[in-house]
Amino acid sequence: MSQSIAKRNPWAWIPTLYFGQGIPYVVVMTLSVIMFKNLGLSNGEIAAYTSWLYLPWVIKPLWSPLVDMFRTKRFWIVTLQAVVAAAMALVALTLPTSNFVQMSLAVLWLMAFASATHDIAADGFYMLSLEQHQQAAFVGVRSTFYRLANIAGQGALVWLAGSLRDWTGDVRTAWSIVFWVLALLFVLLSVYHRFVLPRPSTDQAVRTRGTAVWTEFVLTFKSFFKRKDIFIVLAFLLTFRLGEAQALKLVAPFLLDPMDKGGLNLSTQQVGLVYGTLGVASLTVGGILGGLAISKHGLKRWIWPMLLAVHLPNILFVVLAYTQPTSMVAISAALMVEQFGYGFGFAAYLLFMIMVADGPHKTAHYALCTGFMAMGMMLPGMVSGYIQQAIGYPNFFIWVCIATLPSVLVTVFLKIDPAFGQRAQEGK
């Protein structure tokens, strides 16, 4: 490891890097929905337009080898954060215009592709800049700050837009100010990371010329899919979150729906407290402890406890759906346990992707893993609402528990190096 890495404290850049990674995603996927709703678009238009914006994150593995082939990951990170800043500013400028829908969507597409490419570079840089045991120790930190970015986007920025609308009396002005704030944030992030990110000696472009570019591109994909255990790897990536992918879409509606529709009849403020504050705090603690546990004993030692930590708390939703408690203490406790378990267990999933991606094309291979992860979340989530409507909340959460079983079966066949993710022991 280079001296520059050894002297650079990961706490100086990992939280800001992954907070910056999460913000564009939540802007494109969630904030844009609320913005277009405020601006008068129909639900059908909003769903159709914003669903297409998710595509770059699903197909980003197709251009991930280019990040390996041209320039350093550090260069991509700093540059793409500047591009995101420009895109945020362009959204702010398009909103007051008469054709704001078409123009803002075009810019959001640019932001989505820039953000998806930034994800590729950031994840590759993470693996290049840290020792294996550090990757395990900080996997919970990166996941936590990515989640905090989601909460900031869905909570603080929405609150800011609403407050500005009340203050200015104009919804377009309010949202323009929000995007100017975001543009300034990403200018600061780009400048900060220009000086703070370490310079690992291994962060080098794969030198290719002419037809060698295409050859290298193809070989990157072939080397991933030629793994002897590729079917087990893909099965694990696609099934680990099969239950969660469906539950995630329905937890908030379940909390908000009235009792006669099977929900818990919480107010929006209560959902923000128990799910957005207490839940996130539990998620944070669980994620950090999960990363530390793996760094101490290795991924193989913790894969089964963490798998169960993610899946077993889903039973609590079954209990809540059948009993429909009115006690905020009981509801909060159940959600905190569920979020802690998810944060703790998801560390194993992230480390598994890092393990699979290890090699000369680790950046592109990790992007492939995250692409399959996105597919594993997108496809089940698309049908989850229809399933819930057909069978009701109690049976739906029972179905969620059943949907966790394929990942249990697949995990039986995983082959994991006992030392992977474990901190090197002194004297060995």
Side-chain angles (χ1 to χ4, degrees), residues 3-313:
Q3 188 178 10
S4 62
I5 299 176
K7 291 184 177 180
R8 187 71 71 196
N9 188 337
W11 281 101
W13 58 272
I14 290 178
T16 54
L17 179 63
Y18 281 91
F19 187 84
Q21 186 183 100
I23 288 293
Y25 180 85
V26 76
V27 166
V28 169
M29 296 307 303
T30 302
L31 210 63
S32 63
V33 173
I34 301 171
M35 179 183 72
F36 286 132
K37 185 69 174 177
N38 288 168
L39 294 171
L41 275 69
S42 69
N43 288 345
E45 290 173 321
I46 294 171
Y49 297 156
T50 60
S51 293
W52 279 105
L53 296 175
Y54 186 75
L55 187 62
W57 281 277
V58 177
I59 65 173
K60 67 180 182 181
L62 295 180
W63 66 86
S64 59
L66 300 178
V67 178
D68 273 337
M69 284 186 250
F70 301 100
R71 305 299 295 259
T72 65
K73 312 300 181 296
R74 192 181 193 278
F75 169 85
W76 283 104
I77 291 169
V78 173
T79 302
L80 289 168
Q81 285 177 352
V83 172
V84 170
M88 297 288 189
L90 286 173
V91 172
L93 290 171
T94 61
L95 290 179
T97 64
S98 58
N99 55 344
F100 71 90
V101 176
Q102 297 89 337
M103 294 182 67
S104 62
L105 281 170
V107 177
L108 287 171
W109 263 96
L110 169 64
M111 186 189 304
F113 277 100
S115 178
T117 309
H118 176 274
D119 292 356
I120 297 169
D123 292 336
F125 187 81
Y126 177 87
M127 290 185 283
L128 292 172
S129 301
L130 300 175
E131 297 282 8
Q132 192 182 93
H133 73 273
Q134 290 179 306
Q135 294 177 29
F138 279 91
V139 72
V141 175
R142 59 179 267 188
S143 176
T144 295
F145 277 87
Y146 187 91
R147 287 275 176 167
L148 289 176
N150 280 260
I151 298 303
Q154 298 178 53
L157 292 177
V158 172
W159 175 87
L160 177 61
S163 299
L164 289 170
R165 181 180 59 182
D166 294 341
W167 181 52
T168 63
D170 183 75
V171 64
R172 295 196 190 191
T173 300
W175 280 103
S176 292
I177 295 174
V178 168
F179 275 91
W180 280 119
V181 171
L182 286 167
L184 176 60
L185 170 65
F186 272 86
V187 168
L188 295 175
L189 282 175
S190 181
V191 173
Y192 177 76
H193 288 142
R194 170 68 178 79
F195 293 101
V196 171
L197 289 180
R199 299 178 183 270
S201 59
T202 52
D203 185 18
Q204 299 291 333
V206 178
R207 302 296 180 183
T208 53
R209 293 182 179 180
T211 57
V213 172
W214 173 248
T215 302
E216 184 69 23
F217 188 88
V218 173
L219 287 176
T220 298
F221 283 91
K222 287 180 66 176
S223 63
F224 180 83
F225 289 103
K226 286 178 67 175
R227 292 177 59 101
K228 294 181 180 179
D229 60 345
I230 186 61
F231 291 109
I232 295 298
V233 167
L234 295 181
F236 185 78
L237 293 175
L238 292 171
T239 62
F240 184 89
R241 306 175 78 182
L242 182 60
E244 180 222 343
Q246 299 174 77
L248 190 63
K249 295 292 184 182
L250 275 300
V251 169
F254 169 61
L255 297 175
L256 290 167
D257 268 344
M259 291 284 188
D260 58 1
K261 291 187 177 181
L264 299 186
N265 197 36
L266 300 188
S267 68
T268 302
Q269 293 88 337
Q270 288 173 320
V271 172
L273 172 64
V274 301
Y275 200 55
T277 304
L278 298 178
V280 171
S282 300
L283 178 76
T284 301
V285 174
I288 292 174
L289 291 179
L292 292 174
I294 293 177
S295 71
K296 186 174 182 179
H297 298 293
L299 178 60
K300 185 177 181 65
R301 166 88 171 267
W302 282 101
I303 186 68
W304 280 104
M306 289 185 170
L307 182 76
L308 297 176
V310 171
H311 294 337
L312 288 180

